[in-house]
Amino acid sequence: LFSGAIMGAIMAGLGVFFLWLYARYVWNKIPLAAVNLKTAVASIRPQIGVAFLGLANVPVYLAWWVVWIYFFVCSLNTPFMQSQVESTKVVHKGGYMGDDDFVNTVEETRSGLWYFIFFMMLLSFYWTNQVIKNTIQATVAGTVGTFWFV
């Protein structure tokens, strides 16, 4: 028909169908969601600085990601980390490339310490992301709690 476009049309049609089913399922829950949204706005409005604090965390996240990626790449290129990788050059003669062709491959073996340091760096990335996220979450929870209980 249109060189494979029919499969995309079928997938898009299924997506629209399931979105329609979901809309029909949640339609009766919209008034409750509207009341919840009005209550949330009413609880945050007296302390609007919390919203700006949440928005200010976006650059903090971006800065953390950029700094972490920079130091992660730099630390993998240090002499210590390079010494934890053993490279072996393997030369194959012949094979599927012909009798006179040589195929050079390099096999790298990393030590257990290399994998441990790699894991700890990933853990530090995850941990700090969670600290940044939970700081804002606790601040907002305190503000909303003040609205309800004070």
Side-chain angles (χ1 to χ4, degrees), residues 86-92 102-109:
E86 180 181 326
S87 298
T88 307
K89 186 175 183 178
V90 180
V91 178
H92 302 284
F102 291 93
V103 179
N104 296 328
T105 58
V106 177
E107 295 177 357
E108 293 183 346
T109 307

Side-chain angles (χ1 to χ4, degrees), residues 109-129:
T109 307
R110 291 170 174 79
S111 69
L113 180 61
W114 189 93
Y115 285 109
F116 176 73
I117 292 171
F118 184 80
F119 172 74
M120 293 305 286
M121 285 191 285
L122 290 177
L123 183 65
S124 75
F125 179 72
Y126 174 75
W127 186 278
T128 306
N129 275 331

Side-chain angles (χ1 to χ4, degrees), residues 2 9 14 34 64 73 76 82 86 92 101 107 112 133 143 149:
F2 287 106
L14 282 173
W64 167 242
V73 170
L76 288 180
Q82 294 295 328
E86 180 181 326
H92 302 284
D101 293 335
E107 295 177 357
K133 181 187 82 159
T143 302
F149 299 112

Side-chain angles (χ1 to χ4, degrees), residues 134-146:
N134 290 331
T135 301
I136 291 301
Q137 185 175 1
T139 304
V140 171
T143 302
V144 173
T146 301

